[in-house]
Amino acid sequence: MTNKTSYRLLAVLLLLAAAPGAARAQESRIRTLGVGDTVRVVTPDQGEGPFTGVLTAYEWNGMTVRQRGTGVERTIPFADVRGLARSLGVRREHTAWRGARMGAFSLGAAGLVGGPIIANAEAGDRWELPGTTALAAASGAVLGGAIGGALGWALAREEWQEFQPPAAARVSVHPGGPTTVGLSLRTR
């Protein structure tokens, strides 16, 4: 078996081994709203900021949310919902990893650009250029990753998963007149 064939076989085996894990990760991200979830609801009569609280009831025509801090419960019809999100909580590991990637990329790129400048300033020898550039890029990536990870961990905030507001059904009964039924579907 040649080297090229063995590398291709290894790549296929790694993809097959990673597929079930990726499918489980995708399934864990897809979730519906449930009683007990912390939600943020935007309505037209909101005033200042969205209504944030714990979902206490989820019915066919609306939802009941107990507000954070005050404990006031409010039933919100789906027809009035303009925005809906579920709290994912403060995920420090996620924001630290994201900050580490951004920091490593930023300072690694700066080291990659600054490496040749440093090499030419230090000595006129062209043979030092690749080594100095690689060292500056690697050092920048490591330092940037550490700084970005620490900042991501320290500055983590609550993350929200947006949901499409549900369809709202309305029935109007007019005494002595026709009964009308309507369904409004909202798309973004």
Side-chain angles (χ1 to χ4, degrees), residues 36 39 94 119 150 157 177 187:
V39 295
H94 181 257
R157 55 192 159 91
T187 60

Side-chain angles (χ1 to χ4, degrees), residues 11 14-15 33 37 76 81 100 108 118 122 126 139 141 148 150 173:
L14 286 174
L15 281 174
L33 287 175
D37 285 343
I76 304 166
V81 174
I118 294 169
E122 293 290 318
R126 288 283 197 201
S139 300
V173 178

Side-chain angles (χ1 to χ4, degrees), residues 156-177:
R157 55 192 159 91
E158 190 169 19
E159 294 182 31
W160 296 89
Q161 178 184 13
E162 298 290 328
F163 280 89
Q164 184 72 25
R170 295 184 184 210
V171 177
S172 301
V173 178
H174 302 286

Side-chain angles (χ1 to χ4, degrees), residues 59-70:
E59 298 171 356
W60 69 274
N61 60 346
M63 65 180 108
T64 304
V65 179
R66 182 178 30 244
Q67 190 174 19
R68 277 186 181 172
T70 64

